[in-house]
Amino acid sequence: MELGEPVSGRVPFPWGHSTYAALSYASLNQQDLAQACLLPVLQEIPRLRGDDLRNAVYAIIVDLPNFDTSGAPALGEVLRDLVHAAVWQLTVRIETMPVALMLGLHQAGKGPEAGAWRRIDGPLTRPAHIENYVGKLRALESPTAVGGATANLLDVLDAEPRPGGEGGGDDRDGFARNLRRRISSFIDDELRGRSAAFVDDAHLWARTGELLDDRTVLLTWFLPTAVNGAAVLLAVTREDSEMTVQLGDPADGGPERAEAYADRHPVADLVDAVRTEVERDPLFGDVTPEGRRLLTGHELPLPAADLWAAWRARGKDRLLLWPHGALHYLPVALCTADGRPIADDWTVTTIVGLEALLPADGPARPRRTAVLASANGGVPYGLPAEPALEEHARAVAEAVGANPLTGQAATRAGLLAELATADVVHLAVHGTMDQDAPWLHCLYLTPDEDDDGRVFAHDFLELDLSGVRLVTVAACESALGRFDRADNVRGVPAALITAGVQAVVGCLWAVRPEPATYFYHFLHRRAGQAEDLERAFREAQTATRARYPQYRDWGAFTYLLGRSKGAEA
């Protein structure tokens, strides 16, 4: 217009200008102006197609990972809605869009937090104000107090209402709960502040296929809130990709019910039912009849039977899972594919993000496995003594020729010393989940004169664990955490991966002592000198299944990959 030149047709909207302007306003803590820049984009997304849709998605992929939403929950909701709306519109128009954009949106949706945390400049050092709050919490807690009860981990963490008692008074439990929330949120803020800007120079989302080897299938899910109950599954191989869309039931109940779907997707109820049935005593079967129905039914968002058969015919046998929402805690290995449990034919690995496709960097440590166990670490906090934990540790240590640290030697200081030098570490301890503050998920070692024996998830963030190949944890629900609106997971496994551990093996539910000992003994016997830890995990899973065929015994173990060895990628 300034040049006076005629324009034919509609002028393309500068999507990148809007998202970058919003990012600039947010960096100046002008959250209202940032939202004002994003809302027109959010409103327009459902009507976009062609180059307009492509350009808008590119802008989201580039800019959204660098927003800081700490203290700005309303802005966080707009960013979530923007990503979910873009995912759904891309799903509708996928026949004319590059499929790789879906991977880019999944990555961008998590970028502000978990993706950035793995780019922190060295280990985290807790500032004085966090130490002050931790001290207040320790002084407030009684010696027998246990952190929050195991939560329904399938709900969005930051959608929960805060309890009363923040101002003190007689509500001691409410005050302690809010204090734990505050400490966990301060850890979030510190990680955001220490992380570098997200610049995907490698364009992992655009070249994911070429990073996969000939035997690997990557399954990435997205549970968009833009359509109630929908699940979008993208399967990527080196040669091609396939998308599966599963529509849920419409939200009967108006806007209130639709908003509830944003914080608890209907798939969560299905995952909850699967977990409940698998954990239940199956009496004379491998799993309860209802559990078998759920695992073999069509309700689960999994690829069609013909796809599994086609992949197997092409020699593929490695499955990488990039879950979303409640699907983080679905035991996929137990689900049925092509008429058989997936674990029959596939090595199943969960990845934290596309960076898991890149080889690990940093110096390699000498091969050594450390084993620690504390039977009495949780006793001062109301947990029962478990002599079987130390018996378990001695059996695992025997498999690798190690001397286990047990009893009075299994202290927090002992664990930190082993994490500084060993390349594989196994822990057999009590653990508790904190439903309000996932960075306070806790492992209990033996107290000494200097320490109460508790190791919290956030303690691992203070360590450089980049030389550790594998950490395995034999504790109840040691593979679980909490996810937020952006689908960033917090907890012990997330902290270990963030600190640099290449892979973590834990349990999706409590496992009986005998199968747990058998599994970890077999795993570490294979993993001590093995290059391919995923294969060692698969062999341990298969052997445990042969001896303990009930699904609840062998199906709980899960392998979480933070960064591959070069040969595995």
Side-chain angles (χ1 to χ4, degrees), residues 42 76-86 225-226 262:
L42 177 60
E77 289 187 26
V78 172
L79 293 172
R80 176 204 63 192
D81 292 345
L82 186 58
V83 171
H84 285 228
T225 59

Side-chain angles (χ1 to χ4, degrees), residues 517-548:
T517 299
Y518 187 85
F519 171 82
Y520 284 111
H521 179 278
F522 198 103
L523 172 64
H524 283 279
R525 191 173 64 195
R526 290 286 193 271
Q529 300 299 322
E531 290 294 333
D532 191 341
L533 294 177
E534 291 181 48
R535 188 175 298 278
F537 173 83
R538 169 74 190 284
E539 292 174 353
Q541 183 186 60
T542 302
T544 305
R545 180 183 179 185
R547 177 167 290 198
Y548 301 98

Side-chain angles (χ1 to χ4, degrees), residues 246-286:
Q246 184 169 314
L247 296 178
D249 297 327
D252 297 327
E256 294 79 8
R257 180 58 178 160
E259 179 60 28
Y261 276 175
D263 298 325
R264 182 180 173 86
H265 193 279
V267 163
D269 296 324
L270 182 59
V271 173
D272 193 19
V274 169
R275 290 172 53 83
T276 298
E277 290 302 321
V278 170
E279 291 185 71
R280 187 168 290 162
D281 186 351
L283 298 178
F284 304 107
D286 297 337

Side-chain angles (χ1 to χ4, degrees), residues 69 207 533:
T69 58
R207 60 188 189 94
L533 294 177

Side-chain angles (χ1 to χ4, degrees), residues 271-423:
V271 173
D272 193 19
V274 169
R275 290 172 53 83
T276 298
E277 290 302 321
V278 170
E279 291 185 71
R280 187 168 290 162
D281 186 351
L283 298 178
F284 304 107
D286 297 337
V287 68
T288 66
E290 176 63 10
R292 188 173 300 280
R293 185 193 69 79
L294 290 168
L295 292 168
T296 59
H298 300 290
E299 297 99 329
L300 293 170
L302 293 171
D306 58 336
L307 281 178
W308 293 104
W311 291 329
R312 291 290 298 143
R314 285 153 54 184
K316 300 191 183 298
D317 63 356
R318 179 179 183 239
L319 201 62
L320 293 185
L321 311 178
W322 191 13
H324 188 252
L327 293 171
H328 285 288
Y329 309 127
L330 176 69
V332 172
L334 302 180
C335 299
T336 296
D338 196 22
R340 298 156 55 86
I342 288 175
D344 278 1
D345 304 306
W346 297 82
T347 299
V348 181
T349 296
T350 300
I351 63 172
V352 297
L354 295 180
E355 61 271 21
L357 303 179
L358 297 176
D361 49 12
R365 294 184 181 181
R367 294 292 174 83
R368 185 175 72 85
T369 299
V371 181
L372 296 88
S374 176
N376 301 305
V379 171
Y381 302 95
L383 298 171
E386 288 286 356
L389 288 173
E390 296 187 2
E391 296 172 10
H392 164 106
R394 284 188 283 271
V396 173
E398 182 271 334
V400 294
N403 293 317
L405 296 182
T406 60
Q408 296 303 310
T411 62
R412 171 192 168 97
L415 171 61
L416 298 182
E418 297 290 11
L419 285 171
T421 57
D423 78 316

